[in-house]
Short mmCIF file of all heavy atoms in Angstrom, two decimals:
data_model
loop_
_atom_site.label_atom_id
_atom_site.label_comp_id
_atom_site.label_asym_id
_atom_site.label_seq_id
_atom_site.Cartn_x
_atom_site.Cartn_y
_atom_site.Cartn_z
N THR A 1193 119.86 -91.98 107.03
CA THR A 1193 119.04 -92.32 105.88
C THR A 1193 119.80 -93.20 104.90
O THR A 1193 119.29 -94.24 104.46
CB THR A 1193 118.57 -91.04 105.16
OG1 THR A 1193 117.81 -90.27 106.06
CG2 THR A 1193 117.76 -91.37 103.93
N MET A 1194 121.00 -92.81 104.55
CA MET A 1194 121.77 -93.58 103.59
C MET A 1194 122.11 -94.96 104.14
O MET A 1194 122.05 -95.95 103.42
CB MET A 1194 123.05 -92.83 103.20
CG MET A 1194 122.79 -91.50 102.51
SD MET A 1194 121.58 -91.58 101.16
CE MET A 1194 122.48 -92.50 99.96
N MET A 1195 122.44 -95.04 105.40
CA MET A 1195 122.74 -96.34 105.99
C MET A 1195 121.52 -97.24 105.95
O MET A 1195 121.62 -98.42 105.62
CB MET A 1195 123.21 -96.16 107.45
CG MET A 1195 124.56 -95.47 107.58
SD MET A 1195 125.91 -96.41 106.88
CE MET A 1195 126.08 -97.68 108.10
N SER A 1196 120.35 -96.69 106.25
CA SER A 1196 119.15 -97.51 106.28
C SER A 1196 118.75 -97.97 104.88
O SER A 1196 118.13 -99.01 104.73
CB SER A 1196 118.00 -96.77 106.96
OG SER A 1196 117.59 -95.67 106.19
N LEU A 1197 119.12 -97.22 103.87
CA LEU A 1197 118.77 -97.62 102.50
C LEU A 1197 119.75 -98.63 101.91
O LEU A 1197 119.34 -99.56 101.23
CB LEU A 1197 118.77 -96.39 101.58
CG LEU A 1197 117.48 -95.65 101.47
CD1 LEU A 1197 117.68 -94.40 100.63
CD2 LEU A 1197 116.41 -96.51 100.87
N PHE A 1198 121.02 -98.41 102.13
CA PHE A 1198 122.01 -99.15 101.36
C PHE A 1198 122.85 -100.15 102.14
O PHE A 1198 123.68 -100.84 101.57
CB PHE A 1198 122.91 -98.17 100.61
CG PHE A 1198 122.13 -97.33 99.64
CD1 PHE A 1198 121.97 -95.99 99.84
CD2 PHE A 1198 121.51 -97.92 98.56
CE1 PHE A 1198 121.25 -95.23 98.94
CE2 PHE A 1198 120.78 -97.18 97.66
CZ PHE A 1198 120.64 -95.82 97.85
N PHE A 1199 122.63 -100.30 103.45
CA PHE A 1199 123.41 -101.26 104.20
C PHE A 1199 122.52 -102.10 105.11
O PHE A 1199 122.84 -102.33 106.26
CB PHE A 1199 124.50 -100.55 105.02
CG PHE A 1199 125.52 -99.88 104.16
CD1 PHE A 1199 125.49 -98.51 103.99
CD2 PHE A 1199 126.48 -100.62 103.50
CE1 PHE A 1199 126.43 -97.89 103.18
CE2 PHE A 1199 127.42 -100.00 102.69
CZ PHE A 1199 127.39 -98.63 102.53
N THR A 1200 121.40 -102.55 104.58
CA THR A 1200 120.48 -103.36 105.39
C THR A 1200 120.85 -104.84 105.36
O THR A 1200 120.39 -105.59 106.20
CB THR A 1200 119.04 -103.19 104.91
OG1 THR A 1200 118.97 -103.51 103.52
CG2 THR A 1200 118.57 -101.76 105.12
N ASP A 1201 121.65 -105.26 104.41
CA ASP A 1201 122.07 -106.65 104.31
C ASP A 1201 123.48 -106.80 104.85
O ASP A 1201 124.05 -105.88 105.44
CB ASP A 1201 122.00 -107.13 102.86
CG ASP A 1201 120.57 -107.22 102.37
OD1 ASP A 1201 119.67 -107.47 103.19
OD2 ASP A 1201 120.35 -107.03 101.16
N GLU A 1202 124.06 -107.93 104.59
CA GLU A 1202 125.43 -108.21 105.02
C GLU A 1202 126.38 -107.16 104.42
O GLU A 1202 126.28 -106.81 103.24
CB GLU A 1202 125.83 -109.61 104.53
CG GLU A 1202 127.24 -109.99 104.85
CD GLU A 1202 127.63 -111.33 104.24
OE1 GLU A 1202 126.75 -112.00 103.68
OE2 GLU A 1202 128.81 -111.66 104.32
N VAL A 1203 127.30 -106.67 105.21
CA VAL A 1203 128.25 -105.67 104.75
C VAL A 1203 129.45 -106.38 104.12
O VAL A 1203 130.10 -107.20 104.76
CB VAL A 1203 128.71 -104.75 105.91
CG1 VAL A 1203 129.75 -103.75 105.42
CG2 VAL A 1203 127.51 -104.02 106.50
N THR A 1204 129.68 -106.08 102.85
CA THR A 1204 130.80 -106.64 102.09
C THR A 1204 131.47 -105.48 101.36
O THR A 1204 130.96 -104.36 101.38
CB THR A 1204 130.31 -107.68 101.05
OG1 THR A 1204 129.55 -106.99 100.06
CG2 THR A 1204 129.47 -108.76 101.70
N PRO A 1205 132.59 -105.76 100.67
CA PRO A 1205 133.21 -104.66 99.90
C PRO A 1205 132.27 -104.09 98.82
O PRO A 1205 132.48 -102.98 98.35
CB PRO A 1205 134.43 -105.33 99.26
CG PRO A 1205 134.77 -106.43 100.18
CD PRO A 1205 133.45 -106.94 100.71
N TYR A 1206 131.25 -104.82 98.45
CA TYR A 1206 130.33 -104.35 97.40
C TYR A 1206 128.98 -103.93 97.98
O TYR A 1206 128.02 -103.78 97.24
CB TYR A 1206 130.13 -105.43 96.34
CG TYR A 1206 131.42 -105.79 95.67
CD1 TYR A 1206 132.10 -106.96 96.01
CD2 TYR A 1206 131.99 -104.95 94.72
CE1 TYR A 1206 133.30 -107.28 95.41
CE2 TYR A 1206 133.20 -105.27 94.11
CZ TYR A 1206 133.85 -106.43 94.47
OH TYR A 1206 135.03 -106.74 93.88
N SER A 1207 128.91 -103.76 99.27
CA SER A 1207 127.65 -103.37 99.92
C SER A 1207 127.09 -102.10 99.31
O SER A 1207 127.82 -101.15 99.05
CB SER A 1207 127.85 -103.16 101.41
OG SER A 1207 128.08 -104.37 102.05
N GLY A 1208 125.83 -102.11 99.08
CA GLY A 1208 125.16 -100.95 98.53
C GLY A 1208 125.01 -100.98 97.03
O GLY A 1208 124.09 -100.39 96.48
N ARG A 1209 125.90 -101.66 96.31
CA ARG A 1209 125.82 -101.69 94.85
C ARG A 1209 124.54 -102.34 94.38
O ARG A 1209 123.83 -101.79 93.52
CB ARG A 1209 127.02 -102.43 94.27
CG ARG A 1209 127.00 -102.44 92.73
CD ARG A 1209 128.20 -103.10 92.15
NE ARG A 1209 129.36 -102.26 92.45
CZ ARG A 1209 130.60 -102.62 92.21
NH1 ARG A 1209 130.87 -103.79 91.70
NH2 ARG A 1209 131.59 -101.82 92.49
N LYS A 1210 124.19 -103.48 94.96
CA LYS A 1210 122.96 -104.18 94.59
C LYS A 1210 121.74 -103.30 94.89
O LYS A 1210 120.81 -103.22 94.11
CB LYS A 1210 122.88 -105.50 95.34
CG LYS A 1210 121.60 -106.29 95.12
CD LYS A 1210 121.56 -107.54 95.97
CE LYS A 1210 121.34 -107.11 97.38
NZ LYS A 1210 121.16 -108.12 98.37
N GLU A 1211 121.77 -102.64 96.04
CA GLU A 1211 120.65 -101.79 96.45
C GLU A 1211 120.49 -100.60 95.51
O GLU A 1211 119.38 -100.21 95.17
CB GLU A 1211 120.84 -101.30 97.89
CG GLU A 1211 120.61 -102.38 98.93
CD GLU A 1211 121.82 -103.29 99.16
OE1 GLU A 1211 122.84 -103.14 98.48
OE2 GLU A 1211 121.71 -104.17 100.02
N VAL A 1212 121.59 -100.00 95.07
CA VAL A 1212 121.52 -98.87 94.15
C VAL A 1212 120.99 -99.31 92.79
O VAL A 1212 120.21 -98.61 92.16
CB VAL A 1212 122.90 -98.19 94.00
CG1 VAL A 1212 122.90 -97.18 92.86
CG2 VAL A 1212 123.28 -97.50 95.30
N GLU A 1213 121.37 -100.50 92.35
CA GLU A 1213 120.86 -101.01 91.08
C GLU A 1213 119.37 -101.32 91.18
O GLU A 1213 118.62 -101.11 90.24
CB GLU A 1213 121.64 -102.25 90.65
CG GLU A 1213 123.06 -101.92 90.22
CD GLU A 1213 123.94 -103.14 90.03
OE1 GLU A 1213 123.48 -104.27 90.25
OE2 GLU A 1213 125.12 -102.94 89.69
N ALA A 1214 118.93 -101.80 92.34
CA ALA A 1214 117.52 -102.12 92.53
C ALA A 1214 116.67 -100.87 92.72
O ALA A 1214 115.50 -100.86 92.36
CB ALA A 1214 117.36 -103.04 93.75
#
Side-chain angles (χ1 to χ4, degrees):
T1193 299
M1194 297 312 290
M1195 293 295 286
S1196 67
L1197 271 175
F1198 298 112
F1199 295 103
T1200 56
D1201 291 330
E1202 177 185 353
V1203 177
T1204 67
Y1206 299 102
S1207 290
R1209 182 177 292 172
K1210 176 184 72 175
E1211 287 82 357
V1212 170
E1213 290 170 359

